[in-house]
Amino acid sequence: RKKIAVMTSGGDSPGMNAVVRAVVRMGIHMDCDVFAVYEGYEGLVRGGNYIKQMGWEDVRGYLSEGGTLIGTARCMAFYERPGRMTAAKNMVLNGIDALIICGGDGSLTGADKFRAEWPSLLEELVSKGELQQSQIEPYKHLNIVGLVGSIDNDLSGTDATIGAYSALARICEMVDYIEATASSHSRAFVIEVMGRHCGWLALMAAVATGADFLFIPEKPREDNWREEMCQVIKQHREMGKRKTIVIIAEGALDKHGEKVTPTMVKDLLADKDGLGLDTRITTLGHVQRGGTAVAYDRMLGTLQGVEAVKAVLEATPETETCFIAITENKIARKPLMAAVKETKEVASLIEQQRFNEAMALRDTEFSD
Ligand code: ADP
């Protein structure tokens, strides 16, 4: 019987439990033994009780639970070859040579590295006398399939990552709560939302809540953003709006690569010589990550989990490592490392663009 393992790694996101449930049940349906690796790569390195065989009933109730019930962790040991070697040994001892990982781009990069190194890790384990040649014989190749679990929606090649729509729903709900009190007191709120280097959550939340102004990393405001923001908000107030909502992505930067902070925005809105608004800052923080998954993420995790099992069973030693995406509403297998590379290229392009603008500005300043 084929043995496959499922793991959640990196930052948790709503919908990861749907993935684990789908992989366990689809795996069993396909006549496999399915194992859960607890606490991400840390569990793979520690072995023992961290790797448990899962039965059909073990994932009962998983769909309606937030976070990840099999745990996740950051694992320093897995960044180094000796850590990955111990992980490989634990997998062979359990007879597992297929791994489905739900995590962010870091976790998926680590997975691909592990797959590439696998044959040499096993050879070294034999040469060190930790495993017998006969023990590694059936497990010459490691099959890996990735699923993208991230609230930030920050991976190229897929329209949605598992957890993003849940976080977005949570943000909208929180903004609605804030709006009620903002309206009552005629206040302004500067709301910081998560997303790391990606502005998707902030942008979609701003559209969905009708925010007055927005800051995201991908499209820095022009240098006159202060005047622009005050002008827009003044106009909205003159039209009778009793509340002001400014959404700011945690990674928001100005055109010169400097961070735009909630305090900067608040001070401007509260400035007695300007709008003079009674202004508060709300950092939504981890409520955005917690809570149960919305229907979309349960559906996405389930469909992608099922596809991941099919992909891992169909993979051959020649197959490129894939991840499961959703594009134009279709579940699709895509090359993993190409997507990770494109994600990094987009990020560095944004950085580079800012760098060029900063250099150009510096040059004009010097020539003045
Ligand atoms: P995410 O998966 O959410 O991007 P991290 O980047 O923290 O989160 O990655 C989670 C874990 O994946 C790390 O703690 C580490 O164990 C493993 N990992 C990440 N990047 C690599 C890498 N380049 N090589 C090996 N392991 C990695």
Side-chain angles (χ1 to χ4, degrees), residues 37 64 90 118 184 202 220 235 246 291 293 297 314 317:
V37 178
S64 55
N90 287 327
W118 180 262
S184 307
Q235 201 182 351
V246 175
D297 283 324
E314 287 168 17

Side-chain angles (χ1 to χ4, degrees), residues 34 75 143 175 209 250 267 281 330 339:
V34 188
C75 172
N143 289 330
V175 174
T209 61
E250 65 181 343
D267 289 347
I281 294 174
K330 289 187 185 64

Side-chain angles (χ1 to χ4, degrees), residues 24 90 114 120 133 276-277 339 342 350:
V24 167
N90 287 327
F114 190 42
S120 79
Q133 184 64 34
L277 294 171
E342 198 178 288
I350 294 168

